[in-house]
Structure formats: structure tokens, C-alpha cells
Amino acid sequence: MIIAANLKTNMTRSKTIIYIKEVDSFAQTTSQDVFVFPAMSSLDDFHTTKTVVGAQNAYPTVNGAFTGEIGLEHLEEFNLKTILIGHSERRHILGETQEFIVDKFNFFKEKGFKIIYCIGEPLEIREAGNETMMQYISAQYEGIDTKYENLIIAYEPVWAIGTGRMPTLEDIQNIHTQLKKKSPAPLLYGGSVKVNNTKDILNIENVDGILVGSAALNADDFSTMIQIAQEIENKK
Ligand code: PGA
């Protein structure tokens, strides 16, 4: 399974180095696919053996005049080949449009990056019913090569991110079943995943892994989630 940590705007470089070392030493003992996305200024030569380190964001350029952004050459300096695109915080707080997200997607696809592409609906859309919700989510697939071989999709309801609120397990299963028809890519669930709900979420049909924010900030907790995934796989 795929177990990914989005550290967002947390952890300085020194803390991130310790965190990744700890997570990687645990991940090595498992057969899970583990990803960590540190803050940009916390990137380093991490020398991981199992954990794949990725970028939370980058501008679709090699370099250039894009104040405050980083480009491909900054990722290449650390051998990064994985990127998160379309996270709800970038869509809703930073105002990234679907058009811009598609530009990013195409740029990093062309460079062969593994892309974790995030989708998800705000609460008012969810409350408008399944049809409205699926229309909204479908628009987030527009322009995206859903058959890209290095694609992973993460379904993250906006209202569940960092809030402690979550769809029911049945709702997650329903949505994932509908989304699986749109793309053969592995499909992660994200939004208030914690140690105590990891097992239930990973046991849902069509959930191929999790993308974890706040609960992943503790290396022991994140390692426990990796362990839970391993135990589920061992039983199969
Ligand atoms: P959360 O964040 O686990 O804190 O809800 C998930 C995410 O934004 O990927």
C-alpha cells in the first residue's frame, strides 16, 4: 500500500532530517510504499533507503523569474522525482486554477515525475448531493492524463482536511468506487486520517493507501500507520 506524509508548513530542516531518518528506518522493515513531502526549505540529501521524498509544490519551469517559487532544477539538486499537485490548500488558499494545475501536471509528467494528484470537494458541494459532487470532482480530472503510468490520485474531501471530520467508511467506499472508474491509478484517501482510523480506512475496497497531514507529524504515529498497512497486507 501507499502511505504518504504531507508535512505542509511544519518542521525545520534539522527536525525533518531526524523525522525522515526515523520513518525510513521503520519503513525499511516493511514492504509498503512510503512517501514524505517536507517543506521546501527543509529539503536535503536525505539518503533514504525505502522512503521516497517528494516536493509539496514547484513551479512548472526549470528556473526563471517566479518570485517565491522553486523550479525543476531545485528539485533535481536533491534528486526529487515525486511531486504533489492539486492539493486543496493550493487550490483554495493559494488560488491555483484547474488550468494552472494542468500546466504543472503536464510539465512534471513530461519530466517523468511521479505525481500524487489531489482532488476533493468542499462541504457545500458534498451537501448538494452525489451528482453535484461527482460533477465537481470530474472537473478536477479535466486536462489530466488519467492513464499516466506514474500517477497516484489522492481523494481528499476539503472539509475533512485538518478538521477531525470525515466521511463515513461507506461514503469513502462509494466515492472510491466511482473514482476508480475514472482512472486505473492507485487511489489514496486523505483527510483526518489518524492512527486509530487507519485500519478501517485501509480495509475499504478501492482504497490503495492514505495521504496523512497532521497525524503524520509524529514519526512514531506515522510509522504505526505503515505497520498497520503491513499487517493488513500480511493477512491477504
Ligand atoms: P490532515 O491533512 O491529515 O491533517 O487532514 C491531509 C492532507 O492535507 O493531505
mmCIF file of all heavy atoms in Angstrom, residues 85-117:
data_model
loop_
_atom_site.group_PDB
_atom_site.id
_atom_site.type_symbol
_atom_site.label_atom_id
_atom_site.label_comp_id
_atom_site.label_asym_id
_atom_site.label_seq_id
_atom_site.Cartn_x
_atom_site.Cartn_y
_atom_site.Cartn_z
ATOM 1 N N ILE A 85 0.515 17.511 -6.607
ATOM 2 C CA ILE A 85 -0.111 18.558 -7.434
ATOM 3 C C ILE A 85 -1.611 18.597 -7.127
ATOM 4 O O ILE A 85 -2.247 17.554 -6.949
ATOM 5 C CB ILE A 85 0.134 18.285 -8.943
ATOM 6 C CG1 ILE A 85 1.635 18.434 -9.264
ATOM 7 C CG2 ILE A 85 -0.693 19.252 -9.820
ATOM 8 C CD1 ILE A 85 2.018 18.198 -10.722
ATOM 9 N N GLY A 86 -2.145 19.810 -7.027
ATOM 10 C CA GLY A 86 -3.587 19.974 -6.868
ATOM 11 C C GLY A 86 -4.094 19.858 -5.438
ATOM 12 O O GLY A 86 -5.307 19.715 -5.215
ATOM 13 N N HIS A 87 -3.185 19.934 -4.453
ATOM 14 C CA HIS A 87 -3.656 19.834 -3.067
ATOM 15 C C HIS A 87 -4.678 20.940 -2.783
ATOM 16 O O HIS A 87 -4.543 22.062 -3.280
ATOM 17 C CB HIS A 87 -2.475 19.948 -2.102
ATOM 18 C CG HIS A 87 -2.870 19.611 -0.694
ATOM 19 N ND1 HIS A 87 -3.451 20.537 0.131
ATOM 20 C CD2 HIS A 87 -2.823 18.453 -0.007
ATOM 21 C CE1 HIS A 87 -3.728 19.957 1.299
ATOM 22 N NE2 HIS A 87 -3.356 18.689 1.244
ATOM 23 N N SER A 88 -5.650 20.637 -1.966
ATOM 24 C CA SER A 88 -6.742 21.594 -1.745
ATOM 25 C C SER A 88 -6.243 22.907 -1.155
ATOM 26 O O SER A 88 -6.808 23.966 -1.421
ATOM 27 C CB SER A 88 -7.825 20.981 -0.860
ATOM 28 O OG SER A 88 -7.487 21.133 0.481
ATOM 29 N N GLU A 89 -5.173 22.862 -0.365
ATOM 30 C CA GLU A 89 -4.660 24.119 0.187
ATOM 31 C C GLU A 89 -4.078 24.996 -0.915
ATOM 32 O O GLU A 89 -4.117 26.219 -0.834
ATOM 33 C CB GLU A 89 -3.644 23.825 1.304
ATOM 34 C CG GLU A 89 -4.386 23.399 2.570
ATOM 35 C CD GLU A 89 -3.639 22.433 3.450
ATOM 36 O OE1 GLU A 89 -2.427 22.272 3.306
ATOM 37 O OE2 GLU A 89 -4.312 21.801 4.299
ATOM 38 N N ARG A 90 -3.552 24.379 -1.962
ATOM 39 C CA ARG A 90 -3.045 25.161 -3.103
ATOM 40 C C ARG A 90 -4.215 25.646 -3.968
ATOM 41 O O ARG A 90 -4.205 26.749 -4.478
ATOM 42 C CB ARG A 90 -2.029 24.357 -3.915
ATOM 43 C CG ARG A 90 -0.837 23.936 -3.069
ATOM 44 C CD ARG A 90 0.496 24.125 -3.721
ATOM 45 N NE ARG A 90 0.702 25.380 -4.371
ATOM 46 C CZ ARG A 90 1.454 26.386 -3.885
ATOM 47 N NH1 ARG A 90 2.042 26.281 -2.714
ATOM 48 N NH2 ARG A 90 1.625 27.468 -4.588
ATOM 49 N N ARG A 91 -5.223 24.805 -4.087
ATOM 50 C CA ARG A 91 -6.385 25.232 -4.880
ATOM 51 C C ARG A 91 -7.133 26.365 -4.156
ATOM 52 O O ARG A 91 -7.465 27.382 -4.759
ATOM 53 C CB ARG A 91 -7.365 24.066 -5.071
ATOM 54 C CG ARG A 91 -6.878 22.958 -6.005
ATOM 55 C CD ARG A 91 -7.959 21.888 -6.128
ATOM 56 N NE ARG A 91 -7.500 20.654 -6.744
ATOM 57 C CZ ARG A 91 -7.627 20.351 -8.046
ATOM 58 N NH1 ARG A 91 -8.183 21.193 -8.874
ATOM 59 N NH2 ARG A 91 -7.191 19.194 -8.501
ATOM 60 N N HIS A 92 -7.384 26.176 -2.864
ATOM 61 C CA HIS A 92 -8.300 27.091 -2.169
ATOM 62 C C HIS A 92 -7.617 28.233 -1.430
ATOM 63 O O HIS A 92 -8.176 29.313 -1.334
ATOM 64 C CB HIS A 92 -9.200 26.297 -1.216
ATOM 65 C CG HIS A 92 -10.058 25.317 -1.945
ATOM 66 N ND1 HIS A 92 -11.145 25.694 -2.690
ATOM 67 C CD2 HIS A 92 -9.958 23.973 -2.104
ATOM 68 C CE1 HIS A 92 -11.694 24.634 -3.255
ATOM 69 N NE2 HIS A 92 -10.990 23.573 -2.920
ATOM 70 N N ILE A 93 -6.423 28.013 -0.887
ATOM 71 C CA ILE A 93 -5.749 29.106 -0.169
ATOM 72 C C ILE A 93 -4.866 29.905 -1.132
ATOM 73 O O ILE A 93 -4.857 31.120 -1.121
ATOM 74 C CB ILE A 93 -4.910 28.573 1.021
ATOM 75 C CG1 ILE A 93 -5.807 27.795 2.000
ATOM 76 C CG2 ILE A 93 -4.213 29.731 1.749
ATOM 77 C CD1 ILE A 93 -5.082 27.141 3.156
ATOM 78 N N LEU A 94 -4.141 29.186 -1.995
ATOM 79 C CA LEU A 94 -3.237 29.869 -2.923
ATOM 80 C C LEU A 94 -3.907 30.202 -4.251
ATOM 81 O O LEU A 94 -3.302 30.836 -5.107
ATOM 82 C CB LEU A 94 -1.985 29.016 -3.163
ATOM 83 C CG LEU A 94 -0.877 28.992 -2.086
ATOM 84 C CD1 LEU A 94 -0.448 30.407 -1.730
ATOM 85 C CD2 LEU A 94 -1.245 28.246 -0.837
ATOM 86 N N GLY A 95 -5.135 29.755 -4.437
ATOM 87 C CA GLY A 95 -5.915 30.149 -5.614
ATOM 88 C C GLY A 95 -5.486 29.508 -6.931
ATOM 89 O O GLY A 95 -5.690 30.092 -7.999
ATOM 90 N N GLU A 96 -4.891 28.336 -6.884
ATOM 91 C CA GLU A 96 -4.493 27.680 -8.142
ATOM 92 C C GLU A 96 -5.731 27.205 -8.900
ATOM 93 O O GLU A 96 -6.600 26.537 -8.342
ATOM 94 C CB GLU A 96 -3.567 26.485 -7.854
ATOM 95 C CG GLU A 96 -2.199 26.936 -7.386
ATOM 96 C CD GLU A 96 -1.174 25.794 -7.342
ATOM 97 O OE1 GLU A 96 -1.477 24.665 -7.777
ATOM 98 O OE2 GLU A 96 -0.069 26.060 -6.854
ATOM 99 N N THR A 97 -5.781 27.578 -10.169
ATOM 100 C CA THR A 97 -6.919 27.174 -11.007
ATOM 101 C C THR A 97 -6.643 25.795 -11.618
ATOM 102 O O THR A 97 -5.491 25.360 -11.686
ATOM 103 C CB THR A 97 -7.109 28.163 -12.172
ATOM 104 O OG1 THR A 97 -5.902 28.125 -12.972
ATOM 105 C CG2 THR A 97 -7.351 29.574 -11.678
ATOM 106 N N GLN A 98 -7.709 25.163 -12.120
ATOM 107 C CA GLN A 98 -7.533 23.870 -12.780
ATOM 108 C C GLN A 98 -6.585 24.003 -13.972
ATOM 109 O O GLN A 98 -5.737 23.141 -14.221
ATOM 110 C CB GLN A 98 -8.899 23.319 -13.215
ATOM 111 C CG GLN A 98 -8.863 21.929 -13.834
ATOM 112 C CD GLN A 98 -8.385 20.838 -12.866
ATOM 113 O OE1 GLN A 98 -8.412 21.016 -11.651
ATOM 114 N NE2 GLN A 98 -7.942 19.716 -13.411
ATOM 115 N N GLU A 99 -6.695 25.143 -14.677
ATOM 116 C CA GLU A 99 -5.841 25.373 -15.851
ATOM 117 C C GLU A 99 -4.354 25.384 -15.463
ATOM 118 O O GLU A 99 -3.515 24.754 -16.113
ATOM 119 C CB GLU A 99 -6.235 26.728 -16.446
ATOM 120 C CG GLU A 99 -5.870 26.893 -17.882
ATOM 121 C CD GLU A 99 -6.228 28.299 -18.375
ATOM 122 O OE1 GLU A 99 -6.775 29.115 -17.599
ATOM 123 O OE2 GLU A 99 -5.929 28.568 -19.544
ATOM 124 N N PHE A 100 -4.050 26.082 -14.386
ATOM 125 C CA PHE A 100 -2.664 26.168 -13.925
ATOM 126 C C PHE A 100 -2.185 24.812 -13.416
ATOM 127 O O PHE A 100 -1.048 24.385 -13.670
ATOM 128 C CB PHE A 100 -2.562 27.236 -12.827
ATOM 129 C CG PHE A 100 -1.171 27.423 -12.285
ATOM 130 C CD1 PHE A 100 -0.117 27.744 -13.137
ATOM 131 C CD2 PHE A 100 -0.915 27.272 -10.930
ATOM 132 C CE1 PHE A 100 1.182 27.907 -12.634
ATOM 133 C CE2 PHE A 100 0.365 27.432 -10.424
ATOM 134 C CZ PHE A 100 1.410 27.752 -11.274
ATOM 135 N N ILE A 101 -3.076 24.125 -12.735
ATOM 136 C CA ILE A 101 -2.742 22.799 -12.205
ATOM 137 C C ILE A 101 -2.437 21.837 -13.361
ATOM 138 O O ILE A 101 -1.503 21.036 -13.292
ATOM 139 C CB ILE A 101 -3.900 22.302 -11.305
ATOM 140 C CG1 ILE A 101 -3.898 23.100 -9.992
ATOM 141 C CG2 ILE A 101 -3.804 20.804 -11.038
ATOM 142 C CD1 ILE A 101 -5.136 22.927 -9.143
ATOM 143 N N VAL A 102 -3.197 21.967 -14.444
ATOM 144 C CA VAL A 102 -2.952 21.124 -15.624
ATOM 145 C C VAL A 102 -1.581 21.456 -16.225
ATOM 146 O O VAL A 102 -0.834 20.552 -16.626
ATOM 147 C CB VAL A 102 -4.089 21.296 -16.668
ATOM 148 C CG1 VAL A 102 -3.708 20.679 -18.002
ATOM 149 C CG2 VAL A 102 -5.385 20.682 -16.148
ATOM 150 N N ASP A 103 -1.223 22.740 -16.248
ATOM 151 C CA ASP A 103 0.116 23.127 -16.744
ATOM 152 C C ASP A 103 1.205 22.451 -15.916
ATOM 153 O O ASP A 103 2.178 21.931 -16.436
ATOM 154 C CB ASP A 103 0.332 24.652 -16.623
ATOM 155 C CG ASP A 103 -0.393 25.412 -17.711
ATOM 156 O OD1 ASP A 103 -0.874 24.763 -18.666
ATOM 157 O OD2 ASP A 103 -0.496 26.646 -17.594
ATOM 158 N N LYS A 104 1.026 22.490 -14.608
ATOM 159 C CA LYS A 104 2.004 21.861 -13.709
ATOM 160 C C LYS A 104 2.071 20.363 -13.960
ATOM 161 O O LYS A 104 3.143 19.773 -14.043
ATOM 162 C CB LYS A 104 1.563 22.048 -12.248
ATOM 163 C CG LYS A 104 2.147 23.208 -11.579
ATOM 164 C CD LYS A 104 1.858 23.146 -10.092
ATOM 165 C CE LYS A 104 2.004 24.543 -9.558
ATOM 166 N NZ LYS A 104 1.865 24.650 -8.125
ATOM 167 N N PHE A 105 0.889 19.779 -14.054
ATOM 168 C CA PHE A 105 0.799 18.330 -14.263
ATOM 169 C C PHE A 105 1.567 17.944 -15.538
ATOM 170 O O PHE A 105 2.393 17.033 -15.530
ATOM 171 C CB PHE A 105 -0.671 17.917 -14.372
ATOM 172 C CG PHE A 105 -0.885 16.429 -14.420
ATOM 173 C CD1 PHE A 105 -1.228 15.725 -13.282
ATOM 174 C CD2 PHE A 105 -0.735 15.723 -15.618
ATOM 175 C CE1 PHE A 105 -1.414 14.350 -13.319
ATOM 176 C CE2 PHE A 105 -0.919 14.357 -15.665
ATOM 177 C CZ PHE A 105 -1.258 13.661 -14.514
ATOM 178 N N ASN A 106 1.280 18.671 -16.607
ATOM 179 C CA ASN A 106 1.899 18.322 -17.888
ATOM 180 C C ASN A 106 3.409 18.532 -17.867
ATOM 181 O O ASN A 106 4.166 17.735 -18.410
ATOM 182 C CB ASN A 106 1.268 19.129 -19.027
ATOM 183 C CG ASN A 106 -0.134 18.631 -19.321
ATOM 184 O OD1 ASN A 106 -0.465 17.483 -19.025
ATOM 185 N ND2 ASN A 106 -0.970 19.488 -19.881
ATOM 186 N N PHE A 107 3.840 19.594 -17.210
ATOM 187 C CA PHE A 107 5.279 19.865 -17.118
ATOM 188 C C PHE A 107 5.985 18.721 -16.386
ATOM 189 O O PHE A 107 6.975 18.171 -16.877
ATOM 190 C CB PHE A 107 5.511 21.200 -16.389
ATOM 191 C CG PHE A 107 6.962 21.560 -16.246
ATOM 192 C CD1 PHE A 107 7.621 22.236 -17.266
ATOM 193 C CD2 PHE A 107 7.673 21.221 -15.107
ATOM 194 C CE1 PHE A 107 8.970 22.566 -17.144
ATOM 195 C CE2 PHE A 107 9.018 21.543 -14.969
ATOM 196 C CZ PHE A 107 9.667 22.218 -15.991
ATOM 197 N N PHE A 108 5.467 18.358 -15.236
ATOM 198 C CA PHE A 108 6.159 17.335 -14.438
ATOM 199 C C PHE A 108 5.940 15.928 -14.993
ATOM 200 O O PHE A 108 6.778 15.052 -14.817
ATOM 201 C CB PHE A 108 5.796 17.471 -12.957
ATOM 202 C CG PHE A 108 6.457 18.675 -12.347
ATOM 203 C CD1 PHE A 108 5.751 19.853 -12.134
ATOM 204 C CD2 PHE A 108 7.813 18.655 -12.065
ATOM 205 C CE1 PHE A 108 6.385 20.980 -11.626
ATOM 206 C CE2 PHE A 108 8.463 19.777 -11.553
ATOM 207 C CZ PHE A 108 7.744 20.938 -11.336
ATOM 208 N N LYS A 109 4.849 15.742 -15.698
ATOM 209 C CA LYS A 109 4.647 14.467 -16.394
ATOM 210 C C LYS A 109 5.707 14.307 -17.480
ATOM 211 O O LYS A 109 6.335 13.259 -17.616
ATOM 212 C CB LYS A 109 3.239 14.436 -17.012
ATOM 213 C CG LYS A 109 2.961 13.200 -17.844
ATOM 214 C CD LYS A 109 1.683 13.335 -18.645
ATOM 215 C CE LYS A 109 1.757 12.459 -19.875
ATOM 216 N NZ LYS A 109 0.693 12.729 -20.835
ATOM 217 N N GLU A 110 5.906 15.375 -18.214
ATOM 218 C CA GLU A 110 6.900 15.325 -19.292
ATOM 219 C C GLU A 110 8.295 15.034 -18.744
ATOM 220 O O GLU A 110 9.133 14.422 -19.417
ATOM 221 C CB GLU A 110 6.868 16.660 -20.043
ATOM 222 C CG GLU A 110 7.400 16.562 -21.460
ATOM 223 C CD GLU A 110 8.106 17.828 -21.866
ATOM 224 O OE1 GLU A 110 7.445 18.898 -21.792
ATOM 225 O OE2 GLU A 110 9.297 17.760 -22.209
ATOM 226 N N LYS A 111 8.538 15.453 -17.511
ATOM 227 C CA LYS A 111 9.841 15.194 -16.883
ATOM 228 C C LYS A 111 9.872 13.825 -16.205
ATOM 229 O O LYS A 111 10.846 13.478 -15.541
ATOM 230 C CB LYS A 111 10.167 16.281 -15.833
ATOM 231 C CG LYS A 111 10.121 17.692 -16.368
ATOM 232 C CD LYS A 111 11.201 17.950 -17.396
ATOM 233 C CE LYS A 111 11.077 19.347 -17.985
ATOM 234 N NZ LYS A 111 11.834 19.543 -19.212
ATOM 235 N N GLY A 112 8.793 13.089 -16.327
ATOM 236 C CA GLY A 112 8.769 11.720 -15.793
ATOM 237 C C GLY A 112 8.532 11.615 -14.300
ATOM 238 O O GLY A 112 8.765 10.563 -13.695
ATOM 239 N N PHE A 113 8.074 12.693 -13.683
ATOM 240 C CA PHE A 113 7.841 12.670 -12.233
ATOM 241 C C PHE A 113 6.708 11.728 -11.848
ATOM 242 O O PHE A 113 5.751 11.567 -12.603
ATOM 243 C CB PHE A 113 7.479 14.080 -11.731
ATOM 244 C CG PHE A 113 8.674 14.895 -11.325
ATOM 245 C CD1 PHE A 113 9.678 15.170 -12.242
ATOM 246 C CD2 PHE A 113 8.799 15.376 -10.036
ATOM 247 C CE1 PHE A 113 10.792 15.913 -11.871
ATOM 248 C CE2 PHE A 113 9.901 16.121 -9.656
ATOM 249 C CZ PHE A 113 10.904 16.396 -10.567
ATOM 250 N N LYS A 114 6.821 11.153 -10.661
ATOM 251 C CA LYS A 114 5.664 10.514 -10.052
ATOM 252 C C LYS A 114 4.809 11.643 -9.513
ATOM 253 O O LYS A 114 5.325 12.548 -8.838
ATOM 254 C CB LYS A 114 6.089 9.564 -8.932
ATOM 255 C CG LYS A 114 4.949 8.737 -8.390
ATOM 256 C CD LYS A 114 5.420 7.645 -7.471
ATOM 257 C CE LYS A 114 5.887 6.389 -8.154
ATOM 258 N NZ LYS A 114 4.890 5.538 -8.756
ATOM 259 N N ILE A 115 3.534 11.632 -9.839
ATOM 260 C CA ILE A 115 2.649 12.724 -9.424
ATOM 261 C C ILE A 115 1.571 12.183 -8.499
ATOM 262 O O ILE A 115 0.858 11.246 -8.851
ATOM 263 C CB ILE A 115 1.993 13.387 -10.654
ATOM 264 C CG1 ILE A 115 3.069 14.035 -11.544
ATOM 265 C CG2 ILE A 115 0.942 14.416 -10.222
ATOM 266 C CD1 ILE A 115 2.551 14.589 -12.867
ATOM 267 N N ILE A 116 1.488 12.767 -7.309
ATOM 268 C CA ILE A 116 0.331 12.483 -6.461
ATOM 269 C C ILE A 116 -0.631 13.648 -6.702
ATOM 270 O O ILE A 116 -0.368 14.793 -6.323
ATOM 271 C CB ILE A 116 0.686 12.344 -4.968
ATOM 272 C CG1 ILE A 116 1.660 11.172 -4.789
ATOM 273 C CG2 ILE A 116 -0.589 12.120 -4.141
ATOM 274 C CD1 ILE A 116 1.790 10.631 -3.392
ATOM 275 N N TYR A 117 -1.708 13.338 -7.392
ATOM 276 C CA TYR A 117 -2.648 14.364 -7.823
ATOM 277 C C TYR A 117 -3.858 14.359 -6.897
ATOM 278 O O TYR A 117 -4.536 13.336 -6.747
ATOM 279 C CB TYR A 117 -3.070 14.085 -9.266
ATOM 280 C CG TYR A 117 -4.028 15.121 -9.782
ATOM 281 C CD1 TYR A 117 -3.609 16.430 -9.972
ATOM 282 C CD2 TYR A 117 -5.355 14.806 -10.052
ATOM 283 C CE1 TYR A 117 -4.496 17.402 -10.418
ATOM 284 C CE2 TYR A 117 -6.240 15.769 -10.503
ATOM 285 C CZ TYR A 117 -5.795 17.062 -10.677
ATOM 286 O OH TYR A 117 -6.671 18.026 -11.109
#
